[in-house]
């Protein structure tokens, strides 16, 4: 089996590399892709050096069986045909295809069977906050239908990618050096702060991040569950936390 990682230099791509090196997955070849920026960079993988190739429209995916893509929604949309046209299954981490009817949105612990029906050879991966919530909700759903959920998230800098983590680290260094704090990636200074504002606000007053939790949860769980989310960025480098309140059908 041949596997590709698209977005290998990113926060998610680096996790793919780490997890694939830990697991004993039978693999004949691993191929790494990125933009011009990281093309030519090498990464160690199980004692070998792998060089990042530039993602281009062409035949690079001809022999690939599975492509793990995490290079942002616009890259996924632009390259989906290039990646899948010879039969590779694209497992996409971006938001590009999550809500499309002919693309399954899958969390293996919850709806693995949905992955079998993939007419466009694409399987979408949900937003990070949705993934961890639905694993817990599924256990409750098995006991009694979950009707309503209130969730508050405590999301780390890693959720904003490699640049998000770099910004928090730089803010720590700038604070210690008594320098002005640079704010680029987040809405406000993250150091010593909590920011209840992830992604853009929608007309209904929720942010896009919060509405993803509403729509994605319903699709994954095949459910009419009502989800009200408050998503908050906290000054933690990695790992999101959540506080979830749920109400079963007959309560
Ligand atoms: N971070 C998370 O916890 C998380 C969780 C779930 C889903 N996601 C999603 O996963 C995707 C990546 O997130 P991330 O956090 O890993 O971001 P990131 O750290 O900013 O990394 C972005 C990656 O995309 C690559 N890339 C960008 N434009 C490209 C292009 N035109 N062609 C090829 N590669 C390109 C970059 O390669 P270069 O370095 O070569 O530019 C880099 O490897 C996003 O869609 C994000 O929403 C992230």
């Amino acid at each position: 089996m041949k596997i590709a990682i698209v977005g290998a230099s990113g926060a998610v791509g680096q996790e793919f590399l780490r997890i694939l090196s830990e697991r004993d997955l039978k693999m004949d070849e691993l191929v790494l892709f990125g933009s011009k920026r990281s093309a030519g960079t090498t990464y160690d993988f199980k004692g070998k050096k792998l060089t990042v190739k530039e993602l281009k429209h062409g035949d690079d995916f001809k022999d690939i069986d599975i492509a793990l893509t995490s290079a942002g929604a616009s890259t996924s949309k632009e390259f989906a045909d290039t990646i899948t046209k010879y039969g590779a299954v694209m497992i996409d981490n971006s938001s590009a295809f999550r809500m499309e009817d002919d693309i399954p949105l899958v969390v293996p612990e919850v709806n693995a069977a949905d992955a079998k029906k993939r007419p466009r050879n694409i399987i979408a991966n949900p937003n990070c906050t949705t993934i961890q919530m639905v694993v817990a909700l599924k256990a409750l759903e098995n006991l009694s239908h979950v009707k309503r959920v209130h969730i508050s998230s405590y999301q780390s800098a890693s959720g904003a990618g490699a640049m998000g983590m770099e910004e928090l680290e730089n803010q720590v260094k700038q604070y210690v050096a008594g320098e002005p704090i640079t704010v680029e990636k987040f809405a406000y200074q993250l150091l010593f702060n909590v920011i209840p504002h992830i992604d853009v606000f929608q007309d209904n007053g929720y942010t896009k991040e919060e509405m993803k939790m509403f729509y994605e949860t319903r699709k994954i769980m095949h459910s009419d569950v009502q989800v009200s989310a408050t998503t908050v960025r906290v000054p933690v480098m990695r790992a999101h936390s959540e506080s979830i309140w749920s109400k079963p059908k007959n309560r």
Side-chain angles (χ1 to χ4, degrees):
M1 178 164 64
K2 292 191 180 178
I3 296 183
I5 298 178
V6 179
S9 68
V12 175
Q14 288 292 300
E15 286 300 310
F16 281 146
L17 265 174
R18 190 180 61 77
I19 290 166
L20 285 175
S21 69
E22 281 172 9
R23 301 278 166 100
D24 198 19
L25 184 68
K26 296 278 169 272
M27 205 187 333
D28 301 304
E29 196 181 348
L30 178 64
V31 191
L32 309 183
F33 291 93
S35 73
K36 261 198 184 87
R37 204 174 66 90
S38 65
T41 308
T42 56
Y43 292 103
D44 291 328
F45 182 75
K46 294 191 171 181
K48 280 189 189 164
K49 280 213 178 310
L50 303 181
T51 305
V52 176
K53 294 172 84 164
E54 187 182 343
L55 182 67
K56 288 180 177 163
H57 292 291
D59 294 334
D60 281 341
F61 290 82
K62 201 166 184 174
D63 300 321
I64 299 291
D65 298 291
I66 296 173
L68 305 169
T69 56
S70 62
S74 56
T75 308
S76 287
K77 281 182 189 159
E78 183 186 340
F79 287 92
D81 285 346
T82 300
I83 292 169
T84 57
K85 69 181 171 188
Y86 293 109
V89 176
M90 174 175 175
I91 302 180
D92 187 43
N93 275 262
S94 80
S95 59
F97 305 109
R98 287 177 188 156
M99 295 313 299
E100 295 200 12
D101 287 342
D102 54 357
I103 292 186
L105 181 64
V106 176
V107 175
E109 293 86 345
V110 179
N111 62 333
D114 288 356
K116 290 182 182 159
K117 202 172 161 207
R118 41 171 198 272
R120 290 165 66 185
N121 265 354
I122 301 172
I123 299 170
N125 208 355
N127 191 35
C128 40
T129 41
T130 308
I131 297 175
Q132 66 190 79
M133 180 174 78
V134 294
V135 173
L137 288 185
K138 173 66 176 167
L140 297 175
E141 180 76 21
N142 288 344
L143 300 171
S144 177
H145 176 47
V146 176
K147 248 340 238 176
R148 188 174 285 273
V149 171
H150 293 176
I151 178 258
S152 300
S153 72
Y154 309 84
Q155 300 183 216
S156 59
S158 63
M163 281 165 68
M165 288 190 279
E166 201 179 304
E167 179 157 316
L168 179 58
E169 201 177 320
N170 282 341
Q171 290 182 350
V172 173
K173 288 179 188 158
Q174 288 167 334
Y175 177 80
V176 171
E179 294 168 1
I181 306 278
T182 311
V183 178
E184 280 166 359
K185 188 78 188 167
F186 299 109
Y188 303 94
Q189 174 184 320
L190 184 57
L191 181 68
F192 304 136
N193 205 0
V194 292
I195 309 173
H197 178 178
I198 303 179
D199 213 329
V200 292
F201 277 96
Q202 311 290 284
D203 290 343
N204 64 3
Y206 285 93
T207 63
K208 204 169 167 190
E209 183 85 351
E210 291 162 347
M211 289 314 295
K212 282 178 189 169
M213 296 198 78
F214 177 89
Y215 291 117
E216 294 179 11
T217 302
R218 291 161 74 96
K219 178 168 176 181
I220 297 160
M221 295 186 66
H222 302 278
S223 167
D224 61 355
V225 62
Q226 302 275 323
V227 178
S228 178
T230 302
T231 58
V232 183
R233 189 75 69 192
V234 294
V236 166
M237 200 52 88
R238 284 170 188 277
H240 301 347
S241 305
E242 293 179 357
S243 159
I244 305 168
W245 172 95
S246 75
K247 187 177 174 200
K249 189 176 162 196
N250 297 321
R251 284 282 188 80

